[in-house]
């Protein structure tokens, strides 16, 4: 396991004082000043997706990229990302936390072959029509 992989499970708790909303506001102000109005953005080095979620909630189509080998994602991390259509999880991610993709109403494509646990309401109100969880060991109520 790489250094980030060991840290990923605690990353959101360690960075809870980071002003992701302020960062997104700052980036938006620069775009506005330059007269740019992108509809699609890339969140490079997205980590556990804190800024990704904010960008998607503000109506951007977001491609989140992180090559660090993350081993987890946070609860509610993509909840209410209404423009999210597909997700490709890293192979080390084995659990979908509670409400992680809740109300991602356009989410219709996702790789889940390595997922061992799906927590409550993880996929409530998505457009997923078929889910194959061949490695699943636990699926919570209303997952």
């Amino acid at each position: 396991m790489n250094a980030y992989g060991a840290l990923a499970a605690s990353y959101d708790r360690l960075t809870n004082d980071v002003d992701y909303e302020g960062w997104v506001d700052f980036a938006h102000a620069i775009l506005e000043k330059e007269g740019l109005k992108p509809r699609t953005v890339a969140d490079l080095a997205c980590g556990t997706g804190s800024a990704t979620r904010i960008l998607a909630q503000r109506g951007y189509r977001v491609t989140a990229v992180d090559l660090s080998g993350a081993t987890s994602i946070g609860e509610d991390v993509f909840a209410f990302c209404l423009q999210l259509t597909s997700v490709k999880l890293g192979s080390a991610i084995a659990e979908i936390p509670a409400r992680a993709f809740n109300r991602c109403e356009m989410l219709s494509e996702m790789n889940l072959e390595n997922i061992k646990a799906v927590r409550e309401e993880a996929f409530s109100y998505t457009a997923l029509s078929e889910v194959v969880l061949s490695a699943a060991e636990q699926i919570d109520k209303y997952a």
Side-chain angles (χ1 to χ4, degrees):
M1 177 182 297
N2 64 30
Y4 182 81
L7 176 65
S10 302
Y11 184 79
D12 287 332
R13 287 192 305 274
L14 293 170
T15 60
N16 68 353
D17 62 338
V18 174
D19 184 10
Y20 289 107
E21 291 273 351
W23 181 89
V24 171
D25 289 341
F26 175 74
H28 182 77
I30 291 172
L31 292 170
E32 236 176 27
K33 180 180 176 186
E34 296 297 323
L36 302 171
K37 296 181 182 182
R39 292 188 309 232
T40 303
V41 297
D43 184 6
L44 305 177
C46 67
T48 58
S50 297
T52 304
R53 177 181 42 80
I54 295 164
L55 289 162
Q57 288 174 340
R58 292 189 182 184
Y60 291 101
R61 290 191 66 167
V62 183
T63 299
V65 179
D66 197 304
L67 302 177
S68 63
T71 58
S72 67
I73 58 175
E75 285 187 1
D76 303 295
V77 68
F78 296 105
F80 294 91
C81 290
L82 302 177
Q83 300 298 314
L84 186 66
T85 58
S86 67
V87 173
K88 180 158 177 49
L89 298 171
S91 61
I93 295 176
E95 178 179 323
I96 305 294
R99 300 166 309 280
F101 297 95
N102 182 36
R103 299 270 180 189
C104 293
E105 296 170 356
M106 295 178 68
L107 178 61
S108 60
E109 186 179 335
M110 189 166 189
N111 67 314
L112 298 166
E113 60 268 5
N114 296 320
I115 301 302
K116 294 182 180 175
V118 181
R119 301 301 174 203
E120 66 183 43
E121 299 180 358
F123 297 107
S124 295
Y125 303 99
T126 66
L128 292 169
S129 59
E130 181 179 338
V131 176
V132 178
L133 295 163
S134 53
E137 297 169 0
Q138 182 176 354
I139 300 175
D140 288 358
K141 194 174 181 180
Y142 307 115

